[in-house]
Structures are given as structure tokens and as C-alpha cells.
Amino acid sequence: MGEVKKGGYLALKQFPGRNPLLIYHPCSDSCSLILTEFGTFLTNDRFITSEELKIVPTDLKPLNLQEVRAAAFLESDILFLVGDAVYLRRPKGFYLQLGPESGLPTEGLIGLLGRSHCDAVYPLKAGKKVLIAVLVWSRNSIYVGNINATFTRFNELKQSLSILNMPLDSNIDIVTVAFASRPVEFSILIQAVYQDYKRLMLIIVNDEENRWILSAMFSKLVNDSLPLNPLHMEFISSALSSVFVWNNNTIFYNLHDDKKNGKMHVNLDENISHAAEGSIIEQLVIDSNLNIIIKMSNNMLLHGVVGSDELVRLHVWEREDAKVTLYLTLLDQLYMIKVEDFKIRPTLYPLSMEKISSSLQTKSPPCPFIYFHHNKKSPIYNMDMTEELTFWAQIIYADNFGVEVEALILNHKLLELNYQINYQLHGRFYVNNKTITLTHNKDYRKAKNYMAAIKSTSGVLTLEFQPSMVSSSCIISSNTISFISVGCPPRKHIKVQRDHPVKCTFHDKQSYIISRHHVTNSLIDILAYYDKPRYGCPMQIHHKKSYKPTILLYIGEKLIEKVNVQYVIWEKYNRNDFSFNDSIKKVVCNSKTESILVKDRPHKMNNWKESIINPCTEFDYPNTSYMTLNSSSDRFLTWPTDHNALFLFHVKIVDPNFSFCNLTATFAIETYGVIIRDDIILVISLVWTFILILLCIFGYSYYKYIKIFRGMLSKPASNELYVGF
């Protein structure tokens, strides 16, 4: 028995007499919400314990609007449709009515629906928004909401009228809404009425590609042939759109994009109520193994399998007047939840045993195959350019059946598909093996618009394996829908191998000066910053040693391979004091190569053309350095010999057939070994000045000496004789 913790003030109750409504958390197997006529209960442990959610009376409008009609999870928040307005419950129990500031009207709403499957299993295209998390609708408008409870009105319902040749002034009523077979789609069931003429339209909207299609499910039904309301709708996860629509006594199905449709029956009777003693259909759930379980209002259970029309009665488990609802966990465990007098009793239902037992008693047709399995284990596979994936499925059947493996594929044009089918005979049993190899072999070298070509050939291919024949007694234990994301794999990136000594002489974000003489088209010196936390310590390279980087390809922290295709290098600050040992004229023009991916302008070092051109006929490209390298070329970088310097390089893979990813990396190199000498002109000037000063001193001394000597020679000789005596 589940323990209920009470709290709050005013209970959120369903209208008396309604059957409990179960709300699943799309990404949690243990978290669910159940709406009952006794109150609303939240569990985080599959109803081992549960907490009753209550609301402060002043938070609602009049008390007669306290009836809770639907709910939806938004991660840790919960949306409630109470009366005709939507309320948001925060994790701490705070309730807020949503209105125009959130994109919703404050009244007139009739439906609320959240996801039942986690949207994390779908690979969105790069740059695309997050998936729709919740749908809210009124009689003639639908609002799509994100995880933050912000809504946008869907305004394309009127466009569907022209497809059905209905007048544009026809009245449109939304019957019901559901999330469709693929996570990026949702569906709207609409009734269009013009005077006495009625039609039903099933619209499937692809939110990722911003387009919608009209299903052919009810296209041939008009007026009295239309199923009666109320109508409910449930899609199954599938590569191709597959849906079940039901009212009180009939179940319609439309599988694999309108390829198979019809009605479910019990012993060929399409009125299900006849087989359930007059009770009506109350709940329909479908698990990932394609089992269909139908609960009638008298708690009778019926079972079927997607792809088969037949339904089989299961054994009775509960009395007719019990308040029971079916609870299907993300692990496909089926529980029967019984609610009475504030007590919640979950009971595990042994579906596999019950369906086998019922099939034996009713003598339903045997399953046409013995065993079916395949090698798809993951919901998501990533494919980049030139990569290949192989999937297989195997089915074993007796020789009087002829069952095959069906491969349901959406967006098959994204990849090349190669099929191989193999049959083996073992006694009375056949083994049918189907293998599909998916390959990306497109050549983008001749594309006129490279980016447009990339966009048109990337996307999501959906693959599903199914047996071509089933019956209600079949057990399908592996039915994984796989999404093959054709594009840039997550976390794929490149790094430059540090194959030279590393020395940290810089502090975090240290500044340094780049002389204007070493920068192209610069009139002033540049104050640059080296972000060591981002780029790491620079590699130390002697100025006389040439350099060619080694590029490594990673996914996350896992090394995949050494990159052998072409890449380009440019310096972040457009320095010109390093050089490449080849020019475009030498490499391209002289070798008569027709085209090459080049920069938009030689001076805009990080602006690359989106298309491939002939560089030998444009601008002054022939005299420009050839900045494209690869691991096998003999091209490299050389350094200045008159000064040491710090260079911050960007590297980019430019081979158009290598990857969908924009593979870039940044690395730093610091040269050393240049002996800094003084300015030779200054030295010569100082030497000549010193020599001139010496010459002046010598000249002045010589002049004084000569003057003194001449003075001595000009004195009389008598005086000299007299002195001698």
C-alpha cells in the first residue's frame, strides 16, 4: 500500500466519477503524477510512497474552477490545467497562473499534454532550437511551449482547409492533440465544418523543419461516416508515422505513413464494447515492444500487437467498480494502480504470462515467426563524411509462413543504402537475414555553394526493423528505433600535437607589444594579450628550425586518428614576420591545378570563401603565401632571424570531404635563439664621434706643441751663451 503524505490547503481533484489519469515524467522512470477524484498525488518511487499536492485557495479563481483536468511535467516543474486556465507549480510548491506574459490566454483552454518520452534521445540539427516540451490548446488554437513554460501560437490551421477543398470560412475545432512518432513532430486532429458538411483532418507538424503534412487517415470519411466524439489519439515511436485513434467503442489505426490502416477487432467484431459487456474504452497504452493494452471502463483488459488487427481478452484482475489505471514505466513494466480512500495500491501486472495464457484459451492464430532480433542497441548513431554503418536483422520462421524483415527508413536520401538479403534453411525452419550498409560518399569538391550543399545533405535518418507479419500472440522483444545523425558528431574537434618543448614564461592573460612593422597594414603597434588558461603554454622553437604542425582528431578526450588532409594556418594578429616556404604561384599556378580553397582576401586572415575558386586569375593571389599544408607535403613555416617573437596561430581543416564539423584549433609558438644586438648605425655614429674627438684632441695638442717649439727656436743665441757661462 502506498503511503500518502498530506500537506497544503485545497486538494486538486478530478471531476467526480472520472477514472484516474496518470501523467508520466518523460525522462524519469520512477516519477509520475496521478489525478484522481480524491486529489492529485506525486510519486518519485513508483508509488511506493506518494505526496498529495494541494494549492492555496486564493491562488485560484472561484472554487468551482478547482477541477484539475490535465497535467504535464517540465523537468522539475509541473503544469496543471485547472478549469480553463494553466497553472505552473515550482518545486517548492509555489503556484502561478500563466497568462499573456507566457504566451497563453487566461481562459478558454481545454487541453494540456506533455511528452511521454524523453527528448534527449533525438539528435537535433546543429543550431536548431530545443524540442517542444508541452502542448496547450483551446477549441480553435494551439500553443506550443518549451521547457521554460514559454508558449507560441501555431497559426497554420486554416491552410489545411484548401488541401481538403473546404471553404476558408469553415469552422475549425481541435478534437485532440498528441506528440507524433518522431520526437520533432506533433499532431493535431481537426474537425472542419461548413454548413452540413464535415471532415476530419489529421495534421502532422515537423517542428525541426518547420513544415507540416496532412495524413490520409480520415480523408475518405465525411459526415455520418466519421467516428463519433470524444476521440483520443496515441502515436507509437516509429520511423514512419503510426497512430491509433479511438472513441468509446472503436479503435482506428494508420501505420507507416498511410501504408496500412483499418480497425481493431475482437473475434472480427470492430465494436470493442460488445466484447467487454457494453463498457467503453477508457485507456490504451503501447509499450516499446509494440504490445497494445486496452483497459475498458469495467476494468476488462484486451491485448494486441501493433501490425495485427486482432485483440484478445485477458484475464480479469479487478472488480468492475474499482478505480484502476494502467501505469507503464520507461522499462516497460506494467502496473495496475488502484486508488480508493486516499490509498494508492500499485500491482505489477505479468503481461507476458497473461498474454500467453489468454492466447492458448482463445485459440488465437499462432505467431508467424519464432524469433526476431537485430543489432541496433543505441537510439542515436552519428555519421560524419566518408563513414559507414552496418545494421542487420534476423527472423526465424517455419516453412509454411514466408515472413520477411521490413526496414522502415525516413530520409533515406541522406546516405547511400546497400541491401543484402540472405536465406538459410535448417530443417523445417528458415532464417532470413537482412543487412543494410549506410555510407556517406558524397563529393563536395565541385559544389557551387559548399555550405548549401552541406546543409542539404545533413540531417537525421530514422531506421526501424519490423517483421512483415505479426499476430496478437507474437513476442517482439527488440524494437529499437534508431536515429542516425548525418552531420558533425558531438564533441568532435582537433588539437595540435605538442611535439616541441613547452615553457611557461607568461602569466594569465599577460600583455605584450607587437611592432607595427611586423603586422600587415597596421600604422600603430598592437597591444596583444596571451590567454594562458585558454591556450596553454607556448611551444618553444629555435628561430633557425622550420615547423609544420601535426593535427590530431579527437572525439571528447579519445584520440581517433592523425589528420592527413589539407589544413590552413594563419596568425591571429595578422603578423608578417614569419613566412611559408611556398607561394600560390609555385604550388598551384605552375602546376596547373584548377582550383583551391583560398581566403576571401589576403589581408583578412580569418575570412574564408564558402566556394572553391581559381586563385591564379584573381587579385594578387599568385604572389601570396601558400598557407595550405598537410602531413605529407614539404611545406612548412619559417621564422624571423632578427628577433624572437610570440605567434598565436589558428588552424582549420579545409578538405571539403573530410567532416561536417568546423574543425579549428589554436596554438602558440615562441621562437628563441636570436641574440639581440644594438643598432649598428648608432654604434658606427658613436665610434666616429669618438674618433673625431680624439682627432680634435690630437690636432689641438700638435698645434700647441708646434707653437711652443717655434717659440723656443726664435730666442737670441747670446743669451744662450751667457746662460751657459
Side-chain angles (χ1 to χ4, degrees), residues 381-391 409-419 436-442 444 456-463 482-487 660:
Y381 294 88
N382 294 293
M383 277 196 69
D384 206 347
M385 295 180 184
T386 71
E387 293 184 351
E388 180 178 285
L389 285 174
T390 299
F391 299 103
I409 300 177
L410 183 69
N411 289 338
H412 64 277
K413 293 183 180 180
L414 292 177
L415 299 170
E416 294 182 11
L417 278 62
N418 182 27
Y419 293 88
I436 301 179
T437 302
L438 308 176
T439 310
H440 186 279
N441 283 327
K442 293 180 173 57
Y444 299 97
S456 65
T457 55
S458 60
V460 178
L461 181 147
T462 310
L463 173 63
S482 292
F483 303 106
I484 292 88
S485 176
V486 183
F660 286 102

Short mmCIF file of all heavy atoms in Angstrom, two decimals, residues 381-391 409-419 436-442 444 456-463 482-487 660:
data_model
loop_
_atom_site.label_atom_id
_atom_site.label_comp_id
_atom_site.label_asym_id
_atom_site.label_seq_id
_atom_site.Cartn_x
_atom_site.Cartn_y
_atom_site.Cartn_z
N TYR A 381 22.96 7.16 -33.44
CA TYR A 381 24.25 6.90 -34.08
C TYR A 381 24.66 8.16 -34.83
O TYR A 381 23.80 8.85 -35.40
CB TYR A 381 24.17 5.72 -35.05
CG TYR A 381 23.90 4.39 -34.39
CD1 TYR A 381 22.60 3.95 -34.16
CD2 TYR A 381 24.95 3.56 -34.01
CE1 TYR A 381 22.35 2.73 -33.56
CE2 TYR A 381 24.71 2.32 -33.41
CZ TYR A 381 23.41 1.93 -33.19
OH TYR A 381 23.16 0.71 -32.59
N ASN A 382 25.94 8.45 -34.82
CA ASN A 382 26.45 9.64 -35.51
C ASN A 382 27.29 9.21 -36.72
O ASN A 382 28.10 8.28 -36.62
CB ASN A 382 27.32 10.48 -34.56
CG ASN A 382 26.50 11.08 -33.44
OD1 ASN A 382 25.66 11.95 -33.66
ND2 ASN A 382 26.74 10.62 -32.21
N MET A 383 27.08 9.89 -37.83
CA MET A 383 27.83 9.61 -39.05
C MET A 383 28.39 10.90 -39.63
O MET A 383 27.66 11.87 -39.86
CB MET A 383 26.94 8.93 -40.10
CG MET A 383 26.80 7.44 -39.92
SD MET A 383 26.15 6.65 -41.40
CE MET A 383 27.53 6.84 -42.53
N ASP A 384 29.70 10.90 -39.83
CA ASP A 384 30.37 12.02 -40.48
C ASP A 384 30.69 11.63 -41.92
O ASP A 384 30.41 10.50 -42.35
CB ASP A 384 31.63 12.39 -39.70
CG ASP A 384 32.03 13.85 -39.89
OD1 ASP A 384 31.49 14.49 -40.80
OD2 ASP A 384 32.88 14.33 -39.12
N MET A 385 31.32 12.52 -42.66
CA MET A 385 31.68 12.24 -44.05
C MET A 385 32.59 11.01 -44.13
O MET A 385 33.44 10.79 -43.25
CB MET A 385 32.39 13.44 -44.66
CG MET A 385 31.52 14.67 -44.79
SD MET A 385 32.45 16.04 -45.54
CE MET A 385 31.25 17.35 -45.44
N THR A 386 32.39 10.25 -45.18
CA THR A 386 33.20 9.06 -45.53
C THR A 386 33.01 7.91 -44.55
O THR A 386 33.66 6.87 -44.69
CB THR A 386 34.71 9.38 -45.64
OG1 THR A 386 35.24 9.64 -44.33
CG2 THR A 386 34.95 10.58 -46.53
N GLU A 387 32.14 8.03 -43.57
CA GLU A 387 31.95 6.95 -42.59
C GLU A 387 30.90 5.96 -43.07
O GLU A 387 30.14 6.21 -44.01
CB GLU A 387 31.59 7.52 -41.22
CG GLU A 387 32.72 8.30 -40.58
CD GLU A 387 32.37 8.78 -39.18
OE1 GLU A 387 31.19 8.65 -38.79
OE2 GLU A 387 33.27 9.27 -38.48
N GLU A 388 30.82 4.84 -42.35
CA GLU A 388 29.95 3.74 -42.77
C GLU A 388 29.38 3.05 -41.53
O GLU A 388 30.06 2.87 -40.52
CB GLU A 388 30.74 2.75 -43.63
CG GLU A 388 29.94 1.56 -44.13
CD GLU A 388 30.79 0.66 -45.01
OE1 GLU A 388 31.06 1.03 -46.16
OE2 GLU A 388 31.19 -0.43 -44.52
N LEU A 389 28.10 2.69 -41.60
CA LEU A 389 27.44 1.92 -40.55
C LEU A 389 26.74 0.73 -41.16
O LEU A 389 26.18 0.81 -42.27
CB LEU A 389 26.41 2.78 -39.82
CG LEU A 389 26.92 3.83 -38.82
CD1 LEU A 389 25.76 4.68 -38.32
CD2 LEU A 389 27.63 3.18 -37.65
N THR A 390 26.77 -0.39 -40.45
CA THR A 390 26.12 -1.61 -40.92
C THR A 390 25.17 -2.12 -39.85
O THR A 390 25.56 -2.29 -38.69
CB THR A 390 27.16 -2.69 -41.27
OG1 THR A 390 28.02 -2.21 -42.31
CG2 THR A 390 26.46 -3.96 -41.75
N PHE A 391 23.92 -2.37 -40.26
CA PHE A 391 22.91 -2.93 -39.36
C PHE A 391 22.34 -4.20 -39.98
O PHE A 391 22.24 -4.31 -41.22
CB PHE A 391 21.78 -1.93 -39.11
CG PHE A 391 22.22 -0.65 -38.48
CD1 PHE A 391 22.36 0.51 -39.24
CD2 PHE A 391 22.50 -0.59 -37.13
CE1 PHE A 391 22.76 1.70 -38.66
CE2 PHE A 391 22.91 0.58 -36.53
CZ PHE A 391 23.04 1.73 -37.30
N ILE A 409 12.52 3.26 -43.21
CA ILE A 409 13.56 4.29 -43.25
C ILE A 409 12.94 5.62 -43.66
O ILE A 409 12.20 5.71 -44.63
CB ILE A 409 14.68 3.91 -44.25
CG1 ILE A 409 15.33 2.58 -43.84
CG2 ILE A 409 15.73 5.00 -44.32
CD1 ILE A 409 16.39 2.10 -44.78
N LEU A 410 13.28 6.64 -42.90
CA LEU A 410 12.88 8.01 -43.23
C LEU A 410 14.12 8.83 -43.56
O LEU A 410 15.15 8.71 -42.89
CB LEU A 410 12.13 8.64 -42.04
CG LEU A 410 11.59 10.05 -42.26
CD1 LEU A 410 10.45 10.04 -43.27
CD2 LEU A 410 11.11 10.65 -40.93
N ASN A 411 14.04 9.65 -44.60
CA ASN A 411 15.16 10.47 -45.09
C ASN A 411 16.29 9.60 -45.64
O ASN A 411 17.47 9.83 -45.37
CB ASN A 411 15.70 11.39 -43.98
CG ASN A 411 14.75 12.50 -43.62
OD1 ASN A 411 13.89 12.87 -44.41
ND2 ASN A 411 14.89 13.04 -42.42
N HIS A 412 15.93 8.62 -46.44
CA HIS A 412 16.93 7.69 -46.99
C HIS A 412 17.87 8.37 -47.97
O HIS A 412 18.97 7.85 -48.24
CB HIS A 412 16.22 6.52 -47.68
CG HIS A 412 15.41 6.94 -48.89
ND1 HIS A 412 14.14 7.44 -48.78
CD2 HIS A 412 15.72 6.95 -50.21
CE1 HIS A 412 13.68 7.72 -49.99
NE2 HIS A 412 14.62 7.44 -50.88
N LYS A 413 17.52 9.54 -48.50
CA LYS A 413 18.37 10.22 -49.48
C LYS A 413 19.63 10.81 -48.85
O LYS A 413 20.54 11.21 -49.58
CB LYS A 413 17.58 11.31 -50.18
CG LYS A 413 16.45 10.78 -51.07
CD LYS A 413 15.75 11.92 -51.79
CE LYS A 413 14.63 11.38 -52.68
NZ LYS A 413 13.93 12.47 -53.40
N LEU A 414 19.69 10.87 -47.53
CA LEU A 414 20.88 11.43 -46.89
C LEU A 414 22.11 10.54 -47.08
O LEU A 414 23.23 11.02 -47.08
CB LEU A 414 20.62 11.63 -45.40
CG LEU A 414 19.59 12.69 -45.02
CD1 LEU A 414 19.39 12.70 -43.50
CD2 LEU A 414 20.02 14.07 -45.50
N LEU A 415 21.90 9.23 -47.23
CA LEU A 415 23.01 8.28 -47.31
C LEU A 415 22.79 7.30 -48.45
O LEU A 415 21.67 7.14 -48.96
CB LEU A 415 23.14 7.51 -45.98
CG LEU A 415 23.45 8.32 -44.73
CD1 LEU A 415 23.31 7.45 -43.50
CD2 LEU A 415 24.84 8.94 -44.79
N GLU A 416 23.85 6.64 -48.83
CA GLU A 416 23.75 5.55 -49.79
C GLU A 416 23.42 4.27 -49.02
O GLU A 416 24.07 3.95 -48.02
CB GLU A 416 25.06 5.38 -50.56
CG GLU A 416 25.39 6.55 -51.45
CD GLU A 416 26.67 6.33 -52.25
OE1 GLU A 416 27.15 5.18 -52.24
OE2 GLU A 416 27.18 7.29 -52.83
N LEU A 417 22.42 3.53 -49.50
CA LEU A 417 21.96 2.31 -48.83
C LEU A 417 22.27 1.11 -49.69
O LEU A 417 21.95 1.07 -50.88
CB LEU A 417 20.46 2.37 -48.56
CG LEU A 417 19.98 3.13 -47.31
CD1 LEU A 417 20.36 4.59 -47.35
CD2 LEU A 417 18.49 2.97 -47.13
N ASN A 418 22.90 0.12 -49.09
CA ASN A 418 23.20 -1.13 -49.79
C ASN A 418 22.56 -2.28 -49.02
O ASN A 418 22.86 -2.50 -47.85
CB ASN A 418 24.72 -1.32 -49.88
CG ASN A 418 25.08 -2.59 -50.63
OD1 ASN A 418 24.33 -3.06 -51.47
ND2 ASN A 418 26.22 -3.16 -50.30
N TYR A 419 21.65 -3.00 -49.66
CA TYR A 419 20.92 -4.09 -49.02
C TYR A 419 21.52 -5.44 -49.40
O TYR A 419 21.90 -5.66 -50.55
CB TYR A 419 19.45 -4.08 -49.44
CG TYR A 419 18.65 -2.90 -48.96
CD1 TYR A 419 18.60 -1.72 -49.70
CD2 TYR A 419 17.94 -2.95 -47.76
CE1 TYR A 419 17.87 -0.63 -49.27
CE2 TYR A 419 17.20 -1.87 -47.32
CZ TYR A 419 17.17 -0.72 -48.08
OH TYR A 419 16.44 0.37 -47.64
N ILE A 436 21.84 -3.97 -43.92
CA ILE A 436 21.82 -2.66 -44.56
C ILE A 436 23.11 -1.94 -44.22
O ILE A 436 23.45 -1.79 -43.04
CB ILE A 436 20.61 -1.82 -44.11
CG1 ILE A 436 19.31 -2.54 -44.43
CG2 ILE A 436 20.64 -0.45 -44.78
CD1 ILE A 436 18.08 -1.78 -43.99
N THR A 437 23.82 -1.51 -45.23
CA THR A 437 25.04 -0.73 -45.05
C THR A 437 24.76 0.71 -45.45
O THR A 437 24.36 0.98 -46.58
CB THR A 437 26.20 -1.29 -45.87
OG1 THR A 437 26.43 -2.65 -45.49
CG2 THR A 437 27.48 -0.49 -45.63
N LEU A 438 24.96 1.61 -44.51
CA LEU A 438 24.75 3.04 -44.75
C LEU A 438 26.11 3.70 -44.96
O LEU A 438 27.00 3.59 -44.12
CB LEU A 438 24.04 3.68 -43.56
CG LEU A 438 22.75 3.01 -43.09
CD1 LEU A 438 22.22 3.69 -41.84
CD2 LEU A 438 21.70 3.03 -44.18
N THR A 439 26.25 4.42 -46.06
CA THR A 439 27.54 5.01 -46.42
C THR A 439 27.35 6.45 -46.85
O THR A 439 26.36 6.79 -47.53
CB THR A 439 28.21 4.22 -47.56
OG1 THR A 439 28.21 2.84 -47.26
CG2 THR A 439 29.63 4.69 -47.78
N HIS A 440 28.30 7.29 -46.46
CA HIS A 440 28.31 8.67 -46.94
C HIS A 440 29.48 8.85 -47.90
O HIS A 440 30.63 8.88 -47.48
CB HIS A 440 28.44 9.65 -45.77
CG HIS A 440 28.30 11.08 -46.18
ND1 HIS A 440 29.34 11.80 -46.72
CD2 HIS A 440 27.24 11.92 -46.16
CE1 HIS A 440 28.93 13.01 -47.01
NE2 HIS A 440 27.67 13.12 -46.67
N ASN A 441 29.18 8.94 -49.19
CA ASN A 441 30.24 9.03 -50.21
C ASN A 441 30.05 10.24 -51.12
O ASN A 441 30.48 10.23 -52.26
CB ASN A 441 30.25 7.75 -51.07
CG ASN A 441 30.90 6.59 -50.33
OD1 ASN A 441 31.82 6.79 -49.54
ND2 ASN A 441 30.40 5.39 -50.58
N LYS A 442 29.46 11.27 -50.63
CA LYS A 442 29.21 12.44 -51.47
C LYS A 442 30.49 13.26 -51.63
O LYS A 442 31.29 13.39 -50.71
CB LYS A 442 28.10 13.30 -50.88
CG LYS A 442 26.73 12.60 -50.90
CD LYS A 442 25.66 13.47 -50.30
CE LYS A 442 24.28 12.85 -50.50
NZ LYS A 442 24.17 11.50 -49.95
N TYR A 444 31.99 16.91 -52.39
CA TYR A 444 31.62 18.32 -52.35
C TYR A 444 32.63 19.22 -53.06
O TYR A 444 32.50 20.45 -53.01
CB TYR A 444 31.50 18.78 -50.89
CG TYR A 444 30.43 18.04 -50.11
CD1 TYR A 444 30.77 16.96 -49.31
CD2 TYR A 444 29.10 18.43 -50.17
CE1 TYR A 444 29.81 16.28 -48.58
CE2 TYR A 444 28.13 17.76 -49.46
CZ TYR A 444 28.49 16.68 -48.66
OH TYR A 444 27.53 16.02 -47.95
N SER A 456 22.02 20.69 -47.20
CA SER A 456 21.02 19.85 -47.85
C SER A 456 21.30 18.36 -47.69
O SER A 456 20.41 17.54 -47.90
CB SER A 456 20.93 20.20 -49.34
OG SER A 456 22.15 19.89 -50.00
N THR A 457 22.52 18.00 -47.35
CA THR A 457 22.87 16.57 -47.23
C THR A 457 23.15 16.15 -45.79
O THR A 457 23.70 15.08 -45.55
CB THR A 457 24.11 16.27 -48.09
OG1 THR A 457 25.18 17.15 -47.72
CG2 THR A 457 23.80 16.44 -49.56
N SER A 458 22.79 16.98 -44.83
CA SER A 458 22.90 16.60 -43.43
C SER A 458 21.50 16.59 -42.81
O SER A 458 20.59 17.27 -43.29
CB SER A 458 23.81 17.56 -42.67
OG SER A 458 23.32 18.89 -42.73
N GLY A 459 21.35 15.83 -41.76
CA GLY A 459 20.05 15.71 -41.11
C GLY A 459 19.98 14.42 -40.31
O GLY A 459 21.01 13.87 -39.90
N VAL A 460 18.77 13.92 -40.12
CA VAL A 460 18.56 12.72 -39.31
C VAL A 460 17.85 11.68 -40.14
O VAL A 460 16.75 11.91 -40.66
CB VAL A 460 17.75 13.03 -38.04
CG1 VAL A 460 17.51 11.76 -37.24
CG2 VAL A 460 18.47 14.07 -37.18
N LEU A 461 18.48 10.53 -40.31
CA LEU A 461 17.87 9.37 -40.94
C LEU A 461 17.34 8.46 -39.83
O LEU A 461 18.07 8.14 -38.89
CB LEU A 461 18.88 8.64 -41.83
CG LEU A 461 18.40 7.41 -42.58
CD1 LEU A 461 19.11 7.30 -43.93
CD2 LEU A 461 18.62 6.12 -41.80
N THR A 462 16.09 8.04 -39.94
CA THR A 462 15.47 7.18 -38.93
C THR A 462 15.32 5.77 -39.49
O THR A 462 14.83 5.59 -40.61
CB THR A 462 14.11 7.73 -38.52
OG1 THR A 462 14.23 9.12 -38.19
CG2 THR A 462 13.57 6.98 -37.32
N LEU A 463 15.74 4.79 -38.69
CA LEU A 463 15.74 3.40 -39.14
C LEU A 463 15.03 2.53 -38.12
O LEU A 463 15.24 2.66 -36.91
CB LEU A 463 17.19 2.91 -39.33
CG LEU A 463 17.38 1.42 -39.64
CD1 LEU A 463 16.74 1.06 -40.97
CD2 LEU A 463 18.87 1.07 -39.65
N SER A 482 16.14 3.76 -34.17
CA SER A 482 17.45 4.40 -34.15
C SER A 482 17.45 5.63 -35.05
O SER A 482 16.91 5.60 -36.17
CB SER A 482 18.55 3.43 -34.59
OG SER A 482 18.71 2.40 -33.64
N PHE A 483 18.07 6.70 -34.54
CA PHE A 483 18.22 7.94 -35.29
C PHE A 483 19.69 8.07 -35.69
O PHE A 483 20.56 8.13 -34.82
CB PHE A 483 17.79 9.14 -34.46
CG PHE A 483 16.37 9.04 -33.95
CD1 PHE A 483 16.12 8.75 -32.62
CD2 PHE A 483 15.30 9.22 -34.81
CE1 PHE A 483 14.83 8.65 -32.15
CE2 PHE A 483 14.01 9.13 -34.35
CZ PHE A 483 13.76 8.84 -33.01
N ILE A 484 19.96 8.07 -36.99
CA ILE A 484 21.32 8.22 -37.49
C ILE A 484 21.51 9.69 -37.85
O ILE A 484 20.91 10.20 -38.81
CB ILE A 484 21.59 7.32 -38.70
CG1 ILE A 484 21.58 5.84 -38.29
CG2 ILE A 484 22.94 7.64 -39.31
CD1 ILE A 484 20.24 5.19 -38.33
N SER A 485 22.31 10.37 -37.04
CA SER A 485 22.55 11.80 -37.25
C SER A 485 23.67 11.97 -38.27
O SER A 485 24.84 11.67 -37.99
CB SER A 485 22.93 12.46 -35.92
OG SER A 485 23.25 13.81 -36.11
N VAL A 486 23.32 12.45 -39.45
CA VAL A 486 24.29 12.69 -40.52
C VAL A 486 24.74 14.15 -40.40
O VAL A 486 24.00 15.07 -40.73
CB VAL A 486 23.69 12.42 -41.90
CG1 VAL A 486 24.73 12.61 -42.99
CG2 VAL A 486 23.10 11.02 -41.96
N GLY A 487 25.91 14.34 -39.88
CA GLY A 487 26.40 15.69 -39.63
C GLY A 487 27.60 15.64 -38.71
O GLY A 487 28.28 14.62 -38.60
N PHE A 660 31.77 17.14 -41.57
CA PHE A 660 30.75 18.18 -41.47
C PHE A 660 31.13 19.23 -40.43
O PHE A 660 30.56 20.32 -40.41
CB PHE A 660 29.41 17.56 -41.08
CG PHE A 660 28.73 16.82 -42.18
CD1 PHE A 660 28.75 15.43 -42.23
CD2 PHE A 660 28.05 17.48 -43.19
CE1 PHE A 660 28.12 14.73 -43.23
CE2 PHE A 660 27.41 16.80 -44.21
CZ PHE A 660 27.45 15.42 -44.24
#
